[in-house]
Amino acid sequence: MQYETKVLTTKYQKPDPYGALSMPIYHTASFEFPSAKAMSDAFCGRSMAPSYARIVNPTVSHLEERVRQITGALSATALNTGMAAIHYALTAVSAAGLNIVASKHLFGNSVSLIRETLGNFGVESRFVDFTNIQDVVEQIDDKTCALFFEIITNPQLFVADIKALSEIAHRYGVPLIADTTIVPFSVFHANEFGVDIEVVSSTKYISGGGTGLGGLLIDYGTYDWSLHPSPAMQSRTKRVGKKLAFTARVKTELVTNLGSLMTPQVAYMETLGLDTLDIRYRRQSETTLWLASQCQQLAEIKRVNYTGLEDNPFHELSEQQFGPLPGAVFTIDLESKEAAFSFIDRLQVIHRATNLFDRKSLAIHPASTIFGLFTPEQCAEMSVPDTTVRLSIGLENGEDLLEDIKQALK
């Protein structure tokens, strides 16, 4: 079955007693058991029955199963935020004395998580330009526990050669972890490009309307964890095997101990969002491509950055990996920071707000917001100039959005 059919035909773990076509919201903290043994089996993982809603919830499990079937993954774990998904992925594979080789063009909080939060626990960070494969190779050694990058960086919109990165990662026995938020899995099939672990901010395309925060951690079961330098992963491999070790650690240790499972209310909303994900994505991306091309004609805009444009330096690689519609976000550069602020302040249809891929169009100044706590030198190193405005395009009429941009420029 194709994506559109798969997403609408995932069966419930148990038949609903009322025959509900939408998975109900199991808004409860605990579940009753028929016997002490059944309770013990649930808590010790010997049965599929939910034990406690901090660990398992039927509404959340249904979303996870939908994502697993759509992607063909070994497992999917639904968490409270995209940052939680990144945190879980990198925590699962890291340990004091090991290093993460990461793209230097990451979302600001991803940089802080690796450099500061994990760094305080003895994990070394090595930031490098992932569009230069040789630079990546030079940073890998026998203590490297992961390669981590974004498939299209935010907000720089740089594109790495994913198959080349996969070949390098697997040559050196390192798992490849990718943040694929900017292009949804209805279009981009991460496992076909050699990605081992995928993280997604489901707040974005899947939610579709900024209705709730969520994140997905997807394990394709393609990495041999017996090769990994982490003592915890080596221990897990001996207990559950070389393919299941990551999923086992996430499901039975991190979810239980860190407590960031997605809420059933958000899981319900995101299950509904999956139903229309592909339709919304294609409409928003088509508008984005048209709008970006129109903005190239406006003299006040110094640069338009969208990998779907034929003159973009990453266009050919982007099209090979993501097709002709690589997401619903593009950036423009104006004359100065002051011009960027003035432009944002005058917008009337496009909203001044953070987030990506809402049904509404959004504008933000990345250098002073999501990168606002970095120094100008650090922003320059990460290719985030203060002249850039990021535009996330929603479902409004494209002509209306263009008129709004024109009036804001004047």
Side-chain angles (χ1 to χ4, degrees):
M1 290 186 291
Q2 299 303 307
Y3 172 86
E4 302 94 319
T5 310
K6 276 185 181 180
V7 77
L8 292 167
T9 55
T10 304
K11 296 184 182 300
Y12 300 158
Q13 190 177 56
K14 291 185 177 182
D16 180 74
Y18 298 100
L21 284 178
S22 292
M23 166 59 76
I25 301 174
Y26 285 86
H27 194 163
T28 182
S30 55
F31 306 87
E32 187 171 9
F33 298 91
S35 66
K37 183 180 184 306
M39 184 182 293
S40 175
D41 287 344
F43 273 83
C44 296
R46 293 188 293 269
S47 79
M48 295 297 291
S51 54
Y52 185 59
R54 175 169 56 83
I55 303 167
V56 180
N57 178 280
T59 312
V60 179
S61 296
H62 180 63
L63 172 64
E64 293 174 337
E65 180 60 15
R66 267 192 163 197
V67 172
R68 191 190 70 78
Q69 291 203 21
I70 291 166
T71 59
L74 173 69
S75 72
T77 304
L79 300 165
N80 274 336
T81 64
M83 281 307 305
I86 296 171
H87 179 203
Y88 276 47
L90 297 180
T91 298
V93 302
S94 62
L98 301 183
N99 65 76
I100 297 170
V101 177
S103 168
K104 69 177 183 178
H105 303 116
L106 292 175
F107 175 67
N109 290 121
S110 297
V111 174
S112 298
L113 169 67
I114 297 169
R115 179 183 290 157
E116 298 170 20
T117 307
L118 295 179
N120 286 331
F121 288 93
V123 180
E124 182 188 354
S125 55
R126 299 179 178 180
F127 292 100
V128 66
D129 183 356
F130 266 48
T131 64
N132 188 324
I133 298 297
Q134 188 56 39
D135 285 356
V136 177
V137 171
E138 291 173 359
Q139 295 299 319
I140 299 173
D141 60 26
D142 61 357
K143 297 295 183 181
T144 300
C145 62
L147 299 187
F148 178 65
F149 73 111
E150 297 171 2
I151 58 171
I152 301 180
T153 65
N154 171 25
Q156 305 90 347
L157 304 185
F158 294 165
V159 179
D161 186 330
I162 304 170
K163 285 188 175 180
L165 287 173
S166 174
E167 191 277 325
I168 293 299
H170 298 153
R171 183 196 307 172
Y172 290 93
V174 179
L176 184 64
I177 304 177
D179 184 336
T180 67
T181 297
I182 208 160
V183 182
F185 41 62
S186 62
V187 173
F188 174 68
H189 308 294
N191 60 325
E192 295 179 3
F193 288 85
V195 172
D196 298 302
I197 306 294
E198 182 176 8
V199 294
V200 181
S201 174
S202 57
T203 309
K204 310 302 191 293
Y205 283 123
I206 296 173
S207 168
T211 55
L213 299 173
L216 293 168
L217 176 53
I218 302 169
D219 177 8
Y220 286 100
T222 52
Y223 180 75
D224 181 350
W225 294 101
S226 67
L227 304 174
H228 200 265
S230 164
M233 296 309 296
Q234 287 288 332
S235 175
R236 289 281 176 181
T237 300
K238 292 175 182 177
R239 289 159 56 186
V240 301
K242 62 185 182 181
K243 298 297 183 185
L244 287 170
F246 180 87
T247 288
R249 190 173 191 200
V250 169
K251 297 283 191 183
T252 65
E253 179 187 338
L254 299 185
V255 169
T256 302
N257 294 348
L258 298 180
S260 296
L261 191 72
M262 183 181 286
T263 66
Q265 294 83 1
V266 170
Y268 174 80
M269 296 300 294
E270 295 199 352
T271 300
L272 297 181
L274 279 176
D275 293 348
T276 59
L277 167 64
D278 193 55
I279 296 171
R280 287 185 286 106
Y281 172 76
R282 293 182 189 280
R283 162 68 189 278
Q284 289 174 260
S285 298
E286 287 169 358
T287 303
T288 302
L289 177 58
W290 178 82
L291 197 58
S293 65
Q294 294 300 308
C295 284
Q296 287 185 310
Q297 313 306 316
L298 303 179
E300 298 89 344
I301 296 177
K302 305 306 177 186
R303 176 173 177 258
V304 179
N305 185 15
Y306 182 59
T307 66
L309 296 172
E310 292 185 1
D311 61 353
N312 186 281
F314 295 105
H315 174 72
E316 183 176 352
L317 180 59
S318 174
E319 190 164 45
Q320 290 172 5
Q321 298 180 154
F322 317 119
L325 300 172
V329 62
F330 73 100
T331 66
I332 60 174
D333 278 273
L334 301 179
E335 186 176 356
S336 63
K337 177 182 177 181
E338 293 71 26
F341 270 43
S342 179
F343 167 78
I344 292 172
D345 288 346
R346 287 197 295 268
L347 290 169
Q348 297 177 16
V349 176
I350 300 172
H351 299 264
R352 289 172 287 277
T354 190
N355 200 13
L356 292 172
F357 317 128
D358 196 310
R359 289 191 293 268
K360 302 178 178 68
S361 293
L362 312 173
I364 194 170
H365 182 255
S368 64
T369 53
I370 53 181
F371 292 87
L373 297 179
F374 292 91
T375 66
E377 292 75 20
Q378 288 172 323
C379 285
E381 176 66 18
M382 292 185 285
S383 303
V384 184
D386 62 9
T387 56
T388 297
V389 175
R390 188 188 74 188
L391 297 168
S392 173
I393 303 306
L395 292 169
E396 301 94 342
N397 178 273
E399 294 279 1
D400 293 335
L401 294 174
L402 180 59
E403 288 305 311
D404 192 33
I405 289 171
K406 287 180 177 179
Q407 67 82 23
L409 288 170
K410 291 179 168 47

